[in-house]
Structure formats: C-alpha cells, structure tokens
Amino acid sequence: MENLPFKKHSLLFAPMEGVTDGAYRLAVGRAFSEWDYFSTDFFRVPSVGNIYPEALNNHYGKRALENKKLYQKTSYQILTSARAQTKETVSIINDLGYHHLDLNLGCPSKKVNAHHGGAFLLSDLDALRVIIKEIRESFKGVFTAKIRVGYKDDLNFLNILKLLEDEGVEAITIHARTRDQLYQGIADWKYIKQAVKACNIPIIGNGDIWTVEDIVRIFDECDPYAVMLGRSALKTPWLATLFDQFKDNSHFLSEEFLLEERKQHLDTYFYELEKEFRIEGLKEEIILKRFKSFSRYIFDDFPDFETVRGRFLRSEKLEHFKDHLSNLIV
Ligand SMILES: Cc1cc2nc3c(=O)[nH]c(=O)nc-3n(C[C@H](O)[C@H](O)[C@H](O)COP(=O)(O)O)c2cc1C
C-alpha cells in the first residue's frame, strides 16, 4: 500500500521553524543516527515575484544537500495558500530532484492563516482540493501532508482525510489538535486511531508523544504507520536512540538513568551543533542565541530545573554556556 521512504514504525523528527535547518539536521543526524527521518521547516510559497531555484536549495541547506544519506531521509516542506504560486514552485522543486514533498496544513500562525495559508485551508475544502491537485500534477515524487484535526473544530476531519487520500496524497501526519487549540491541553490520540481506521494510506501520529513509553503506547493503542516527534525531539534529541535500546523494556528507564543519559548526550548534542554552525560561518553570538532557543524544554527533567535553565539562559558568552554543560557532568 505504501511507497514511502521510511519503514513502518519509524520515528520522524518533526519540521520546526527556527530549528530544523540544514546545519541542525546534519548535526542531529550525525549525533543520533537512530532517527529514521527528518524534514525541512516550511518554505513559504511566494504570492508574487520570481521563484529562484537557488532560494529553494538554500532553504533546504546547501551542505545538507551534499549529504546523500541524509538527503534520502529528508522531506521538503512547503506552506502555501490559494493565491500563492504553488504550481510554479512545486514544479521547480520537482525539477531540482527532491524526492519527497510535504504540505504544511497545520501552521496556526495568525499571519499565515490571515493569508488563508497553513491550517486555514482545513476550513476551505474547495481551495484545498485545488492546491492538492496542483501539487499532485506537478510533483512526481512522494507527496504527503501534515494536518491538524480541523481549523475551529473537528467537524471536517473525516472529509479532509478523504479529500487528501482521493487526490493522491500518500501519507498524512496528524497533529491531534485543532488550529484553535494551538498547543493547549493534551493532543487527543483518538483522532489518530480514527484516521488509521478510516484511511487506506499510512497515518503518522503526532502530538504530545514525549517518552519511550508514549511511543510504545501510541503504537499499541492507535496503530499509526509511524510517529513524528516535535517538542519532545527538541527536549530529548536522543529519543530515537533511547527508543531503539529500550522499546521492549521501557520499564527499565528510571528517572535517575534518564537524567544521567541526558547529561552525557547534551554534551554531544551541543558539540555537534557548534561544529556545524561554525562551518556555516555563524558568529558566536548567533550560536549562543540558537543554543538558548533550543534550551526551552531540555532542562525540564532536572530536579531544580528553573535554576539550571536560568544559568544557561543567562550565559553572556558561548564559553559560559559550554562551561555550564561541562559542570553538569562532573
Ligand atoms: C518551534 C516549533 C516550530 C514548528 N515549526 C513547524 C514547521 O515549520 N512545520 C510544521 O509542519 N510544523 C511545525 N511545528 C509543529 C510541529 O512539527 C508539531 O506538529 C507540533 O509541535 C506537535 O507535535 P509535538 O507535540 O511533538 O511538539 C513547529 C513546532 C514548534 C514547537
């Protein structure tokens, strides 16, 4: 039934704007090679002006493009609207040889939705159908979509799934919340289960899958083809490694063990990131800024997490941030 570039029960690192650029994917792909798949964050399809192939490749990341192994396990994500130049942009992406295109239908940003893009399209199925048809006609590779369960409510959920499947989308990632829920509450996996039953194409479960136990549980309870991890991947970039080692005996994972693993892996994580960012030519201040932005959830499991996180966030120099990392281990 499927022609996907990743196998059943894969762990996918979610697209995240401001995070998953080429350098980040290279670093994490090297440090934690157990991740089965990655995605670029979204490329916003322009409504006016020229579309330059160079800009599309830059969005993917020039150096990431040279890494063929990583390329095979990365999708290119776009975000578009009825007025944007979807057909033209997708044709160029196709001609550039990208093998997997993912359409972002979950972005809740007010600005994006005001331009009738992202999750807004879940409320306008006529416009959505036109866009899906255009992409399917212009793109020869694997075409997937990433949705929420609806815009204001879930009333269209099954119709959206059917539309996507009927028009040739090959797999659907579902962030199990409506757009209006933003990130409130806890994602309701019942939608994943419902979609698995309703569709003949693979469903990828997403939303509040934080731990190895959660991954095991969502596979058991909802039977998605694969899962995609966003904030949990940002919190625990080695989550795929843990899953690989402990999926059959997750009860062995004590808090103490996980905290020790965290201290060790954090060192590797930031070391590989710094290496990539330096090759990209990023200045130290920018590297520090990015490190801080990656630190939002990473210290949550420390007993005195507010103090620990505060120490990292107050670092005035990259050296200080790295000193704090070394101090975690001693
Ligand atoms: C910082 C950040 C940036 C994001 N950027 C994107 C994006 O570019 N494209 C996209 O489809 N989803 C984006 N998302 C949504 C995630 O991919 C994911 O669907 C969402 O966070 C729910 O999964 P989670 O509970 O595992 O975090 C972003 C999420 C975060 C936290």
Side-chain angles (χ1 to χ4, degrees):
M1 107 176 153
E2 61 271 346
N3 174 34
L4 297 179
F6 47 88
K7 61 185 188 310
K8 198 163 167 35
H9 287 185
S10 281
L11 266 48
L12 284 54
F13 201 110
M16 283 182 276
E17 190 188 14
V19 180
T20 53
D21 62 3
Y24 185 91
R25 299 193 312 272
L26 279 166
V28 171
R30 188 168 56 237
F32 308 114
S33 60
E34 292 79 6
W35 285 105
D36 294 296
Y37 216 71
F38 293 90
S39 176
T40 69
D41 54 343
F42 65 79
F43 176 87
R44 194 185 304 234
V45 175
S47 299
V48 290
N50 294 329
I51 304 145
Y52 296 103
E54 179 87 0
L56 286 157
N57 280 339
N58 283 343
H59 182 78
Y60 183 93
K62 281 276 171 62
R63 292 187 50 258
L65 210 42
E66 286 162 14
N67 184 324
K68 291 299 162 212
K69 203 168 158 212
L70 190 62
Y71 173 81
Q72 290 309 326
K73 48 181 205 174
T74 307
S75 58
Y76 198 114
Q77 191 184 63
I78 61 166
L79 181 139
T80 195
S81 67
R83 277 169 293 191
Q85 305 174 78
T86 308
K87 207 174 172 58
E88 296 79 354
T89 306
V90 171
S91 297
I92 298 174
I93 294 175
N94 184 67
D95 293 348
L96 287 168
Y98 288 99
H99 62 98
H100 178 181
L101 184 78
D102 186 55
L103 175 65
N104 179 331
L105 293 169
C107 181
S109 145
K110 271 194 183 151
K111 198 170 159 202
V112 167
N113 295 163
H115 288 93
H116 295 189
F120 178 85
L121 286 166
L122 302 175
S123 69
D124 183 350
L125 298 199
D126 292 338
L128 178 61
R129 192 180 294 277
V130 172
I131 288 172
I132 300 291
K133 273 183 191 289
E134 278 184 346
I135 297 178
R136 189 62 289 182
E137 279 165 18
S138 316
F139 191 69
K140 304 286 172 280
V142 173
F143 172 32
T144 58
K146 181 164 178 286
I147 68 172
R148 285 179 176 245
V149 302
Y151 190 61
K152 294 209 167 302
D153 53 48
D154 62 2
L155 298 178
N156 266 338
F157 182 52
L158 290 177
N159 293 332
I160 293 163
L161 296 176
K162 183 160 178 0
L163 185 160
L164 296 175
E165 184 172 347
D166 286 352
E167 299 300 343
V169 168
E170 290 167 80
I172 305 170
T173 304
I174 301 170
H175 175 187
R177 284 188 176 87
T178 62
R179 181 270 168 203
D180 276 3
Q181 284 174 318
L182 300 170
Y183 280 89
Q184 291 150 15
I186 296 178
D188 191 342
W189 296 348
K190 78 171 185 219
Y191 293 104
I192 313 285
K193 196 169 176 173
Q194 201 181 357
V196 169
K197 289 207 174 109
C199 295
N200 291 309
I201 54 173
I203 297 300
I204 299 155
N206 172 237
D208 287 303
I209 307 167
W210 287 94
T211 61
V212 171
E213 286 94 330
D214 286 346
I215 301 171
V216 171
R217 191 161 62 82
I218 192 171
F219 278 133
D220 277 356
E221 291 177 5
C222 308
D223 195 26
Y225 180 84
V227 292
M228 181 179 278
L229 310 167
R231 290 162 301 161
S232 55
L234 204 49
K235 176 183 173 186
T236 313
W238 50 92
L239 191 50
T241 315
L242 283 177
F243 180 70
D244 227 41
Q245 292 170 346
F246 292 99
K247 56 177 172 267
D248 296 323
N249 43 18
S250 56
H251 52 282
F252 285 146
L253 290 169
S254 67
E255 281 179 21
E256 295 74 23
F257 172 79
L258 287 171
L259 193 58
E260 281 316 305
E261 287 278 294
R262 177 165 295 277
K263 291 175 186 171
Q264 302 295 335
H265 285 315
L266 276 179
D267 209 44
T268 315
Y269 176 56
F270 284 111
Y271 172 82
E272 293 294 348
L273 284 173
E274 183 183 351
K275 204 155 102 187
E276 283 304 324
F277 290 160
R278 284 195 185 276
I279 299 173
E280 290 283 318
L282 263 58
K283 292 200 177 114
E284 285 208 356
E285 309 91 86
I286 304 295
I287 298 179
L288 177 62
K289 209 168 154 194
R290 291 203 71 187
F291 277 15
K292 288 183 183 179
S293 78
F294 301 152
S295 301
R296 176 142 177 219
Y297 310 103
I298 229 161
F299 302 109
D300 285 4
D301 289 351
F302 283 81
D304 46 352
F305 66 92
E306 278 170 350
T307 317
V308 177
R309 185 170 49 218
R311 211 178 288 146
F312 280 88
L313 293 185
R314 279 195 305 275
S315 303
E316 285 175 7
K317 290 209 153 65
L318 186 61
E319 276 318 302
H320 301 160
F321 192 100
K322 291 188 334 188
D323 286 346
H324 293 319
L325 278 177
S326 312
N327 291 338
L328 284 179
I329 299 174
V330 290

